Amino acid sequence: MVKIFFDRAAKHTTMDKGLLEVIKGCNSVLRVSFPLRRKDGTITHITGYRAQHKHHRLPCKGGIRYGVHVDLQEVEALASLMTYKCAVVDVPYGGAKGGIRLDASQFSVDELENITRRYTLELSKKGFIGPAIDVPGPDMGTGAREMAWMKDTYTMLYGNTDINAQGCVTGKPFSQGGIEGRTEATGLGVFYGLREFLSNKETMKNIGLTPGIKGKKIVVQGFGNVGYWACKFLAQAGGIVTAVVEHDGAIFNSNGINPDALNAHRMKNKGSILGFEGAERETTDAASGMEEPCDILIPAAIEKSVNKENAPRLQCKILCEAANGPTTPFAEDILEKRGVLIMPDLLMNAGGVTVSYFEWLKNISHVRFGRMTKKWEEHSKQRLINLLESRLAPGESRDAVAEAAALLGPSERDIVYSGLEETMINAVNQTRETAIRLGVNYRTAAYYNALTKIEQCYKDGGLFLA
């Protein structure tokens, strides 16, 4: 799929065909196999992968996923998508991706830890992990726990010689060098990007919607980390989440579903959204949930969830891709003919890698954001307030509450949110401008921008020993 979208954008460039082929292919691929002795004494064979797509910028960056369908082809495709995603949002990384083929539910926590640590060792032996080389992060089936194991393993191996060892992975727990705001980063990025798109009056007029998030009916497919946080921020901005779709079914409420209440229910019910008290109705037919009439459909789960079979039945005006590769090329063609506006994955779900970049910067600078400037900013604001108060008319009262709020310097989370907002706004506007200039859809425009930025790197840096 990624190669098809790549080729559609490449047609609009004037790039050398040979260079396009260089950019399209993966630079380095690793397949590892190792044994695991189970608790019952039996031995299981474990297979893992890591692909580094491009080295025009270093380090490479991309998640590690655990799943029964993980294979080399999937990892290579997602690594290439990471390259283009980083370029779209101006994050100075090459793309990478990795994974281990397993069903995590069939292993104990201790066994998963052993698998993760051995996988990290195998990556380190071949130069596929390191703060200056390749920086993994969480993906489907992994999270902060797995990243902590990887970081600890790498630090045990190289911490005495690599002062930046903590930056070998991102998405870590805060105690292990993580950053405030990383957990919600992808969902928040979806919100910022969607908000910026919806603020354009001309764009909204073309699809028959009013500007802004407020009052928009939203259906979300996938209520994991990304889906939950996207729902939460959109609901806070006035959006109405009318349906949530999961693997075991879908729930509906025309007046809006409370994301926090649904998340609490899901945690108590082994990941199921069914039986939620805040739902007006529910169904075990998950596929039908995506076909609920809405203004915005947000696929936030697996690849190819929007395909040529269900695309004709979708009843949304905007398709906002929060997952990686949720829409097939056939489905995109069908939806475009029907006038559906598609906001592409390589732009809309780039919040995760953006904040991972901030975490990496924090790790290699060895200081949290705001530590050096927060109090200076507060003192500076105090001096400004004192100056303004000296100009108050006799008898004019102060607003103590507003003054206290104005005095606060930014926390690390504030700085992370600000940096992500700036990144998403700039990337959305660059994509929209390119789409208008070339007369193409937003996905082609995003790929076009990525390709031209990568081309410039090769032009300026040259082709080594070519």
Side-chain angles (χ1 to χ4, degrees):
M1 281 191 346
V2 176
K3 289 184 177 180
I4 292 174
F5 292 135
F6 178 102
D7 290 338
R8 290 181 178 183
K11 293 177 182 178
H12 296 274
T13 72
T14 57
M15 294 172 61
D16 182 276
K17 290 183 180 180
L19 182 57
L20 285 170
E21 289 302 312
V22 168
I23 295 173
K24 186 185 293 187
C26 266
N27 281 8
S28 306
V29 178
L30 177 68
R31 177 185 179 274
V32 299
S33 296
F34 51 87
L36 172 73
R37 190 182 300 279
R38 305 293 301 269
K39 279 191 171 183
D40 61 5
T42 61
I43 295 176
T44 298
H45 178 249
I46 303 295
T47 302
Y49 308 93
R50 185 70 176 172
Q52 295 174 350
H53 178 248
K54 280 290 156 285
H55 298 125
H56 66 292
R57 291 187 183 278
L58 287 174
C60 296
K61 187 78 184 80
I64 302 289
R65 55 175 49 191
Y66 289 176
V68 295
H69 301 298
V70 172
D71 59 27
L72 190 58
Q73 184 179 13
E74 177 188 63
V75 166
E76 287 191 74
L78 292 172
S80 65
L81 183 61
M82 280 299 299
T83 293
Y84 312 136
K85 184 185 300 184
C86 290
V88 166
V89 293
D90 294 314
V91 169
Y93 287 145
K97 206 67 161 189
I100 300 177
R101 187 167 63 242
L102 55 75
D103 180 355
S105 67
Q106 301 302 309
F107 295 85
S108 69
V109 172
D110 288 342
E111 288 171 337
L112 288 172
E113 180 175 355
N114 288 338
I115 292 169
T116 303
R117 289 183 181 277
R118 178 60 185 270
Y119 175 68
T120 306
L121 177 62
E122 296 297 329
L123 294 182
S124 66
K125 285 160 58 179
K126 302 298 182 181
F128 276 75
I129 186 173
I133 303 168
D134 189 344
V135 182
D139 202 284
M140 289 178 59
T142 63
R145 181 184 67 178
E146 288 75 18
M147 296 306 106
W149 291 336
M150 294 187 75
K151 172 259 178 185
D152 184 67
T153 304
Y154 184 86
T155 302
M156 290 299 101
L157 293 169
Y158 303 108
N160 62 326
T161 57
D162 187 352
I163 193 174
N164 296 320
Q166 199 174 57
C168 67
V169 297
T170 60
K172 305 179 293 293
F174 189 75
S175 66
Q176 301 299 305
I179 194 169
E180 296 284 355
R182 177 59 183 88
T183 302
E184 65 267 33
T186 306
L188 181 59
V190 170
F191 166 73
Y192 284 145
L194 194 52
R195 186 188 66 183
E196 186 64 18
F197 267 118
L198 265 62
S199 69
N200 187 278
K201 294 180 180 180
E202 191 64 31
T203 301
M204 292 302 99
K205 181 181 178 181
N206 291 339
I207 59 173
L209 290 177
T210 57
I213 292 172
K214 189 174 182 178
K216 300 294 185 296
K217 295 181 178 180
I218 301 165
V219 172
V220 177
Q221 182 237 359
F223 200 71
N225 176 272
V226 178
Y228 161 66
W229 284 105
C231 283
K232 183 178 176 70
F233 289 118
L234 289 166
Q236 288 176 350
I240 305 170
V241 181
T242 57
V244 173
V245 185
E246 261 292 346
H247 66 279
D248 57 344
I251 61 171
F252 309 87
N253 189 322
S254 58
N255 296 314
I257 294 168
N258 184 311
D260 288 327
L262 178 58
N263 193 50
H265 168 85
R266 181 172 169 270
M267 293 298 102
K268 293 178 182 178
N269 291 273
K270 300 179 180 179
S272 176
I273 62 173
L274 299 180
F276 178 54
E277 291 183 355
E280 293 177 339
R281 58 188 174 90
E282 65 178 42
T283 178
T284 55
D285 181 9
S288 66
M290 293 181 66
E291 298 164 15
E292 183 76 1
C294 62
D295 298 314
I296 304 167
L297 172 61
I298 303 178
I302 60 175
E303 293 88 353
K304 302 179 183 179
S305 57
V306 179
N307 47 62
K308 64 180 180 180
E309 281 74 31
N310 64 4
R313 300 192 299 272
L314 299 184
Q315 301 183 65
C316 59
K317 294 184 178 180
I318 295 173
L319 181 69
C320 175
E321 298 180 341
N324 283 321
T327 309
T328 67
F330 287 113
E332 179 172 84
D333 294 340
I334 293 169
L335 292 171
E336 280 211 310
K337 289 177 182 177
R338 295 179 54 210
V340 176
L341 180 66
I342 300 175
M343 299 175 181
D345 53 355
L346 73 163
L347 169 60
M348 298 306 293
N349 71 14
V353 70
T354 300
V355 176
S356 284
Y357 171 53
F358 299 159
E359 180 180 333
W360 178 76
L361 289 175
K362 175 186 177 180
N363 293 158
I364 63 174
S365 62
H366 303 275
V367 63
R368 65 171 170 81
F369 293 118
R371 182 170 185 174
M372 303 291 288
T373 59
K374 182 176 180 179
K375 287 302 177 182
W376 180 88
E377 290 190 31
E378 289 181 356
H379 296 326
S380 178
K381 291 175 181 178
Q382 182 64 68
R383 288 192 293 271
L384 178 60
I385 287 176
N386 290 342
L387 177 62
L388 293 174
E389 286 179 348
S390 69
R391 307 294 175 88
L392 288 176
E396 191 173 349
S397 62
R398 298 165 50 192
D399 187 335
V401 175
E403 182 178 318
L407 276 174
L408 289 176
S411 66
E412 182 170 83
R413 188 180 299 272
D414 293 331
I415 294 172
V416 167
Y417 278 29
S418 175
L420 177 57
E421 182 177 16
E422 168 76 2
T423 298
M424 293 304 298
I425 288 174
N426 286 345
V428 166
N429 288 330
Q430 288 176 13
T431 302
R432 184 162 49 209
E433 289 166 5
T434 299
I436 294 172
R437 177 166 55 84
L438 299 180
V440 297
N441 62 29
Y442 289 133
R443 190 189 312 279
T444 300
Y447 270 92
Y448 177 92
N449 286 345
L451 291 178
T452 54
K453 290 174 183 178
I454 296 168
E455 177 193 27
Q456 194 63 48
C457 283
Y458 281 111
K459 281 185 174 180
D460 293 341
L463 299 174
F464 183 66
L465 297 180

